Amino acid sequence: MEGVFLSLMETNTKFRTSNPDEAHVYFLPFSVVMIIEHLFHPVIRDKAVLKRTVSDYVRIISHKGLMLLGMFVNSTTIPSGSYATQTPQKDASFQSEERCIISGDQSENRGDHGLTGGSPPSNRTVLAFFAGKMHGKLRPALFQHWMGKDEDVQVYETLPQGISYHEMMKKSRYCICPSGHEVASPRIAEAIYAECVPVLISQHYIFPFSDVLDWDSFTVQVPVTEIPDLKNILEAIPEDQYSRMQERVKQVQRHFLVNNPPERYDVFHMIIHSIWLRRLNVRFQFCKIKMLNKSSK
């Protein structure tokens, strides 16, 4: 996702400038390749070195008052819980999909390989679905209470042979999106692609584009302590409320799609918009500080 964003920025002169006097924001990338080459011992393979390096980078940049654009892909580069130290008014984060859908303008199919869309609510026969490895601090509770326990809440560590992961999402009413090693989960975007209402089980996660998108209107957020009561929580949601949430999932889907070339309101423009909003926030905070300093004199 980061590579796609940088590539689109390089080819889009509308948002990019080489003149520092014209720039509103400076993008300061770090190279995971260089970190691995110079700091990662191939025999010892201590990932803590990578985590400390990236943590220090994020801390230094954020403490200097610079804007941090968070394109964090996996836990080998970003320590678990990094988003907990993020400043929402200044830092921009977004969902780094492992399976981002890139649409092209050269065909009617738009190149999404059938990964978007899903069954209408009346044909979604599975109440809730999750498939993924049991890692991190939250998933063990999900597996303990629900794996193999209920046909309505289908939780798998490994899908049985012949069952399609994406087809299961497309016929499920709710898609469970628990944190693993990372604070976020790529299943959030996958659920949105499948028009399945995401059930978010996470801690310290700042939702992407939360300045614009009302996540409460198209997701269900379940505290970790209420995982044992997950089925009752979902079944208690009235049908009309579910229909509204599912329709809103379909509406926000375009904000998580990658288009080449970019289209209005897609993920590329949403990221640019988030950066712009935070520039305004930073300027506003700076003006408040100046006003306070002036009044104190």
Side-chain angles (χ1 to χ4, degrees):
M1 186 64 199
E2 180 179 7
V4 170
F5 176 80
L6 292 178
S7 175
L8 295 176
M9 281 296 297
E10 285 294 319
T11 57
N12 196 318
T13 57
K14 181 178 180 180
F15 299 113
R16 179 175 56 87
T17 179
S18 57
N19 184 351
D21 295 328
E22 295 179 352
H24 298 154
V25 174
Y26 293 86
F27 178 57
L28 306 176
F30 64 88
S31 172
V32 176
V33 174
M34 295 294 287
I35 292 175
I36 292 176
E37 180 179 349
H38 295 287
L39 299 178
F40 190 59
H41 195 286
V43 177
I44 300 176
R45 302 182 66 83
D46 182 10
K47 292 182 180 179
V49 175
L50 308 183
K51 294 181 179 182
R52 287 197 299 270
T53 302
V54 178
S55 293
D56 287 343
Y57 178 89
V58 171
R59 178 179 52 79
I60 291 171
I61 295 299
S62 61
H63 285 185
K64 285 183 178 293
L66 297 174
M67 183 178 296
L68 180 64
L69 176 60
M71 290 184 283
F72 302 149
V73 180
N74 57 54
S75 60
T76 62
T77 59
I78 295 296
S80 178
S82 291
Y83 283 97
T85 60
Q86 190 180 15
T87 306
Q89 295 80 10
K90 181 166 63 69
D91 304 327
S93 68
F94 68 94
Q95 182 67 31
S96 302
E97 301 99 315
E98 293 179 3
R99 302 177 181 85
C100 64
I101 295 178
I102 303 177
S103 299
D105 60 352
Q106 69 275 18
S107 68
E108 293 181 355
N109 188 10
R110 299 187 52 77
D112 63 14
H113 305 293
L115 294 179
T116 58
S119 301
S122 58
N123 292 340
R124 290 182 178 260
T125 56
V126 178
L127 176 65
F129 167 73
F130 170 79
K133 299 300 181 183
M134 185 168 60
H135 53 67
K137 297 180 179 179
L138 308 185
R139 293 186 184 180
L142 179 66
F143 280 89
Q144 175 188 348
H145 290 283
W146 295 109
M147 188 168 68
K149 303 289 182 64
D150 196 300
E151 291 186 358
D152 293 327
V153 181
Q154 298 193 23
V155 174
Y156 302 91
E157 187 167 13
T158 302
L159 275 174
Q161 189 174 4
I163 295 181
S164 166
Y165 175 79
H166 292 290
E167 289 304 316
M168 283 294 296
M169 283 191 140
K170 289 182 178 183
K171 68 177 186 179
S172 298
R173 293 169 66 87
Y174 299 94
C175 290
I176 307 171
C177 307
S179 295
H181 287 316
E182 306 168 57
V183 181
S185 169
R187 284 165 188 79
I188 298 175
E190 293 173 344
I192 292 173
Y193 293 158
E195 299 172 3
C196 178
V197 175
V199 178
L200 308 180
I201 306 176
S202 185
Q203 292 176 317
H204 311 301
Y205 180 42
I206 300 169
F207 300 118
F209 318 133
S210 55
D211 297 292
V212 178
L213 302 182
D214 180 8
W215 284 80
D216 290 333
S217 70
F218 63 92
T219 67
V220 179
Q221 299 175 40
V222 177
V224 180
T225 55
E226 296 184 18
I227 288 178
D229 203 34
L230 180 59
K231 182 176 180 178
N232 291 334
I233 292 172
L234 298 180
E235 288 186 330
I237 297 174
E239 186 65 26
D240 59 342
Q241 181 180 342
Y242 166 77
S243 297
R244 287 194 299 270
M245 286 192 295
Q246 203 260 349
E247 187 61 34
R248 287 164 183 160
V249 168
K250 293 164 64 176
Q251 292 173 356
V252 304
Q253 186 184 90
R254 63 176 177 169
H255 302 312
F256 293 85
L257 288 176
V258 181
N259 297 293
N260 190 12
E263 298 179 3
R264 293 184 68 184
Y265 308 113
D266 67 3
V267 69
F268 176 76
H269 285 89
M270 292 293 286
I271 295 168
I272 296 296
H273 183 256
S274 292
I275 298 171
W276 174 74
L277 279 178
R278 275 145 188 80
R279 171 181 173 258
L280 295 182
N281 283 334
V282 170
R283 290 183 62 188
F284 177 69
Q285 293 296 327
F286 178 70
C287 290
K288 285 208 312 184
I289 292 172
K290 288 184 65 176
M291 291 177 62
L292 288 171
N293 287 341
K294 186 175 181 180
S295 63
S296 64
K297 295 178 180 179

